[in-house]
Each structure stands twice: as structure tokens, then as C-alpha cells.
Amino acid sequence: MSIRRLYNVADVRDRARRRLPKGIFEFIDRGTEDDLAMRRNRAAFEQLQLRPQVGVDVSARHTRTQLFGREMSLPLAIAPTGAAGLVWYRGELELAKAAATAGIPFTLATRSMTAVEDIAAQAKGRLWFQLYMWTERELSYGLVERAQRAGCEALIVTLDVPVAPNREYNLRNGFSLPFRLGARSMFDMLRRPRWLSGVMGRYLATTGMPRYENQPGRHRNRLTQGDAAAPLRSDAITWDDVRELRRRWQGPLLVKGILRVDDALRAVAAGADGVIVSNHGGRCLDCSVAPLEALPRIADTLAGRATVLLDSGIRRGSDIAKALTLGAAAVLSGRPTLYGMAAAGQAGARHVIGLLQAELLTTLGMLGCTGVHELGPHLLQEEPAAIEHLLAQLDASTGAGSAAPGAGVEKHSLKGLVS
């Protein structure tokens, strides 16, 4: 079936589920523990309702915006996802090319399987880099220098994974890193021969088992070697680390994993140019608040001080509109384009981005907006001052004190309708 017959992200997800081994699909698709945080992320979007305006010419609407002084085709960046290279051969590179074609930024994860230098040289688009801090700080600083030399535009430091999350489904599926081939995982892969030959088979026939290409020296292990996560786990990361990164990084610096106003202010005080309101897609703390619920207060507080982005839970173009209505400048999204990559590689990722853009265009038109710059809190609740102004205009046009009998009743009814 052609990807053109996949009409939304849910359709693409279903195609990915049928093409990937269960262990890999659940690794990208699920959250942590009971998946409660992930479900709350979606529920927050589903429960938010907007009030459309009518009588507006939206024939020339568009989704363009600017972020950090550069134009992008829509307010979306690809979030860092370390599993892109597992769902498709050289998946990070193909996903970066899809983002470049669409005119949006791509974020390369620390634990990716393609070197930042290769992505920068071959994808030719806006490249951001996501950083986990090593316990050996100098290793992190060396990677920051690599990203800077490669031409990465922005650095994202992730702070919301101080300890290893509890993902029980990985244990049940026999999927863990370093990867150990057992009876369960072998059976899982044999059930997906297209993935086995087209992804893992191509790696083994060309470069061998994939490596974590951005990890330095002795930590540049293959998927089957060592404990790749161990040197990244640090429960001693503090705002001093962010200040040091600010000193070393010359472009936009973003702090990811913010869910509190006080942490947002600490990030800006440490030198961050922006914050990413995120709970890691519900993959770390199952009792965390949904980022969409935390967004309004953070955005209001940081208005004029720093850029606020939202991550976690985007599945529709209308979700992008909702995030911007609540104050985000743009959103990051990870799972949808991973589903697209699993379904059809770069073409699948481009298809997903196109779906989100088309849905956003439709949502803008339905809301009575010509562009994303017109999204705002007036779409949540009507503004009393605007209503009073319209009432004054109505009164002036009908002539005060000279209305026909019954006009007062109509005026009173109008107030009731717009209150």
C-alpha cells in the first residue's frame, strides 16, 4: 500500500508497528512503567478546545515562521531520537535529509549511530545537537566542540534523565542495550524479514554492527558492546554545568526537560536562550505533568526573556496550533517521524511532515487565522475589551436612543451570546 494512503500519523504508526520487530517498535512507541505520562500528554491536547473566528479571509494562509532569526516552513523541529538508526538503515541521515527538504531543523541525539560531521556534510539543512552530560565532563565538552565545528546551529542540553528510567517492556521483549541476541529477540527479528534484511542486514554487510558514532574514544561502542548508557548517567548535573556549556557554546543554547516556572527561570539565569517544555515524551517519569499543562505559566513568565518550545505528545497539526496558542514559539516532535522512517524511510518521514503541515493549514483556516503568528489566547477565551468595543460600534451604528421597539431586548441578547 502506498504511503499516500496513510492519511494521518495513526495510520503511519500502524504501518510502522507491522514492519518493526516488537522490541524496537515498543522502544520508540511506549513510555515508562504504566504509560500514564504518555497518555496524559495526549489527553491534554485532546481536552483543549479552541474558539474559531469566522468572517475572515484565510485564502492566503501559510505556516511559515521564524526561530532564532531564521525562517522555517512551519513551527516544527525534529526532536532528538536515538533510535532512528534502528528503524531504517542510516536512519538519522535520512531523517535529517527529510527535515532539510521540508525546511525545518533536525536535532541529532548524542546516542545516534551517525556522526555529527556526516549529518552536517550530507543533509545540508539546519542541524541542532542534543547533549547528554557524561560523568567525565571533558568528554562532553569535546563533543560540544565537535558539534560546533560541524556547524550545528543550536545546542540542546537534556536535564530530565538524571537516572535510568524504568522501562519494563524492554525486559519483557528481550530488548536491551547493549543488545544481546537471545531466543526471544531472535524470534522477534525473524518475524520481520524485511526489517532484518533491509536494516540490520545492510549494516552487517557494510559497516558492521552500528556504533554510537558521537561517543568519544573508549565509549564509541557497538550496540552489542559495553554499557553505552553508563557514562551518560549523572545524577550530579547542576545549573553550573549549564553555565559552563553557555561559556563554551556560541550559538543558541536550549535546556530540555523543563516543567516548572522556577526551573525555567534558572535556565535563563544560567545563560539559556530558550527552554523546551517537555517530559521526554512520557518516557522517564510516569507521574509527571503533561507539558501542555505546564506551558502557559512558563510561556507567560519568560515572554520577552527567552524562547519557549514545547515537546511531547504532538500527533496532529492541530496540536501544533494548540501549543502556539498557549505561548510556544514552535514545537519539537519525535515519534511521528520515527513512525514515518519505519514505514518508508526518508519518504515516510517527509510524508509525516507533510501531513502535519497540511493539518496545521486546515486548522489555521478553520480558526480564522492567516498564519501561525495570529494564534494566541484570544482563541481560548473571548476578550471582554474587544467585546465592549464591538458593542460600542454596534450601538453607534444603530443610533443610541432611537432604536425601534424591542431593540433593547436584542442588544441584551447579544451580550448574553458573547459573554
Side-chain angles (χ1 to χ4, degrees), residues 360-384:
L360 178 57
L361 269 174
T362 298
T363 303
L364 289 173
M366 291 293 184
L367 290 173
C369 297
T370 62
V372 296
H373 62 285
E374 294 181 357
L375 296 169
H378 63 286
L379 297 171
L380 298 170
Q381 184 174 353
E382 293 164 292
E383 299 172 353

Side-chain angles (χ1 to χ4, degrees), residues 28-31 38 81 281-283 315 333-340:
I28 69 171
D29 183 65
R30 293 192 59 183
M38 191 174 69
T81 51
R283 290 174 58 79
R315 296 294 182 274
S333 179
R335 286 186 179 96
T337 45
L338 280 184
Y339 299 148

Side-chain angles (χ1 to χ4, degrees), residues 30-33 35-39 41 167 169 278-286 288 291 311-313 335:
R30 293 192 59 183
T32 186
E33 295 183 346
D35 293 334
L36 299 178
M38 191 174 69
R39 292 201 293 270
N41 290 350
R167 298 171 186 163
Y169 53 87
S278 170
N279 66 359
H280 217 92
R283 290 174 58 79
C284 293
L285 179 66
D286 211 23
S288 68
D311 168 76
S312 304
R335 286 186 179 96

Side-chain angles (χ1 to χ4, degrees), residues 105-129:
F106 167 77
T107 310
L108 184 67
T110 292
R111 298 187 67 194
S112 60
M113 299 162 203
T114 308
V116 61
E117 294 85 358
D118 292 342
I119 298 287
Q122 298 179 49
K124 307 296 185 184
R126 292 179 69 177
L127 180 59
W128 297 356
F129 190 84

